[in-house]
Amino acid sequence: MIAKLLTKKDIPAAKKLWGYAFETDEPFYSWYFEEVFSPKNAVGIFNKGQLISYLQLNPYTIYLNGASFEASYVVGVITSPEYRNKGLMKILLPKAIEEINKRNHSVSILMPFDTTFYSPYGWELCYRQLKYTVPIDIVGHFASGEKYGNFHKIDINKDFEALNIVYDSFLKNYHGYVKRNRKNWDYILKDLQYYGGYACLLRDQKNNPIGYILYFLKDKKFIAKEIAYTNIKAQKSIFSFIYSHKSQAVAVQWSAPYNDPTQLFLRDTIQPEPTNNLRIYPFMCGRIINFKDAIENSSFSKDINFSFSIRIKDSYAQWNNNTFIIKISNGKASVKKSNTASADMVCDINIFTQLFFGAISIDQAVFLEKVTINNQAILKNFSKSFHFKNNYINEFF
């Protein structure tokens, strides 16, 4: 068996495997392999020249720790049925890590079908979302009849900059999100269109973009794939827009950042049972691919000035499997390997990835016994450097 990047001649085999494992819905199926899929971003395993397993490394730019990171989004992990449960992931995923590192992508994201499946390879859960399912009358009550601004169907050729203005404003207090470009938006809107969805932009009286909604109408449900707004008037106006579909839907479903406060202002009942259904669900895993590059690319508060040593355990990226000395000053960090046997802190790449992404705090990591602290004096400054953050991401491929 050989693990390598795919070439153009492998596209038909890759498409066939995707269709078997996932879907063949048209026009999405053909569009994806004509416009989105790129063999140079796919790592596969071949047996006697036959493609039997592969995954994709779709490139994105992610905002992490005050900086932009080029990242590989691992999607479409597929194995031909006759080769499943034969340990191919022990070949494919390490090869993917090696390839991502070659691309100088110091971090990776991955949407898991099982949050523990990829953990042995270093990907750990770093994102979660809040999912609402509520009667449409509840949305109408929250909107309070607000009708601010005007909606129109989104045209990517005219509205790309407007979408980004709203998106960036909505996420200004969040972390870990994708910095979307024209191609990202084009993929999102075409994906929505090919599955029968709709997209509307909200502008105020001065024609400034203040909100948008991407949605479906299905089985008497109004399903919002993404909602973004710049202020409360825009949010209420979007909810009023949703409520205007009360003759077509009885319930509304949408996802939001984990700490979204809307739940606190929706009319609900306590007895005999709650009216609204809110669920926290796991969404995306992250992985540090290159520890040194990830730390040195980050930005830190300029009032932090300290150094510490850390022992990182990483079975699948030997360049990370070392003791490092990290010095932080003037908002930046330097990372050097150390030959010393002891370290102030010891952990594996999984838990440090969660600390780096801000998914957990160092206090939580210590409580969970996921990290060993040999020098308690580093904790105060470490917690200032790598602290809990409000992560949000909403990309699906």
Side-chain angles (χ1 to χ4, degrees), residues 119-393:
S119 183
Y121 303 96
W123 279 273
E124 208 67 63
L125 195 64
C126 291
Y127 297 84
R128 50 194 169 176
Q129 288 189 354
L130 188 63
K131 180 174 284 187
Y132 292 82
T133 303
V134 307
I136 197 166
D137 288 343
I138 298 297
V139 169
H141 183 269
F142 177 85
S144 302
E146 183 79 54
K147 293 182 180 179
Y148 181 74
N150 298 296
F151 287 92
H152 69 80
K153 292 180 180 178
I154 291 172
D155 181 344
I156 187 62
N157 295 314
K158 299 178 181 178
D159 297 324
F160 162 63
E161 291 184 4
L163 285 168
N164 253 359
I165 287 171
V166 177
Y167 177 78
D168 290 343
S169 175
F170 182 69
L171 293 175
K172 64 185 177 183
N173 295 319
Y174 292 97
H175 176 259
Y177 57 86
V178 165
K179 300 186 78 172
R180 290 177 180 169
N181 55 31
R182 170 64 185 265
K183 182 181 287 187
N184 298 147
W185 277 111
D186 187 61
Y187 287 168
I188 288 167
L189 294 175
K190 283 184 177 177
D191 173 45
L192 185 78
Q193 174 190 341
Y194 293 153
Y195 279 102
Y198 307 90
C200 287
L201 180 70
L202 173 64
R203 292 180 180 272
D204 65 15
Q205 286 82 352
K206 295 182 179 179
N207 207 39
N208 297 312
I210 57 172
Y212 65 79
I213 181 169
L214 316 179
Y215 67 98
F216 300 92
L217 289 165
K218 185 177 181 181
D219 300 328
K220 295 186 178 180
K221 280 186 178 180
F222 187 109
I223 303 170
K225 187 173 183 181
E226 185 167 296
I227 298 173
Y229 38 84
T230 61
N231 56 50
I232 187 60
K233 286 186 177 180
Q235 184 190 14
K236 287 191 173 185
S237 189
I238 289 172
F239 276 44
S240 184
F241 173 84
I242 295 172
Y243 184 59
S244 73
H245 293 78
K246 60 183 179 295
S247 64
Q248 297 164 272
V250 297
V252 184
Q253 187 177 88
W254 76 95
S255 299
Y258 167 68
N259 67 334
D260 174 61
T262 303
Q263 57 183 296
L264 302 175
F265 301 95
L266 293 178
R267 181 171 62 83
D268 207 333
T269 59
I270 303 301
Q271 297 293 337
E273 61 183 20
T275 300
N276 304 325
N277 184 299
L278 279 78
R279 185 168 68 91
I280 299 167
Y281 69 106
F283 194 71
M284 192 79 73
C285 290
R287 192 197 201 282
I288 292 177
I289 298 295
N290 191 298
F291 179 85
K292 182 177 188 296
D293 289 351
I295 301 298
E296 291 187 336
N297 191 48
S298 298
S299 294
F300 300 90
S301 174
K302 290 190 176 181
D303 64 353
I304 298 173
N305 187 1
F306 90 116
S307 64
F308 66 99
S309 58
I310 182 170
R311 169 69 178 145
I312 295 291
K313 300 175 183 178
D314 191 339
S315 300
Y316 291 99
Q318 288 303 312
W319 51 88
N320 293 335
N321 197 45
N322 285 286
T323 299
F324 298 92
I325 297 175
I326 300 175
K327 294 182 179 180
I328 301 174
S329 64
N330 296 319
K332 299 301 291 183
S334 64
V335 180
K336 292 183 179 180
K337 291 182 181 178
S338 172
N339 294 321
T340 58
S342 61
D344 296 327
M345 175 178 174
V346 180
C347 67
D348 61 24
I349 197 66
N350 299 59
I351 200 68
F352 196 86
T353 292
Q354 291 180 312
L355 289 165
F356 181 82
F357 273 74
I360 65 172
S361 68
I362 186 62
D363 290 339
Q364 291 170 325
V366 171
F367 175 79
L368 293 167
E369 298 183 349
K370 296 289 187 179
V371 60
T372 300
I373 303 297
N374 297 317
N375 179 5
Q376 297 291 321
I378 71 166
L379 288 177
K380 183 178 179 179
N381 280 317
F382 186 94
S383 64
K384 291 180 180 179
S385 305
F386 302 97
H387 52 85
F388 181 81
K389 302 178 181 71
N390 294 319
N391 290 346
Y392 183 67
I393 199 166

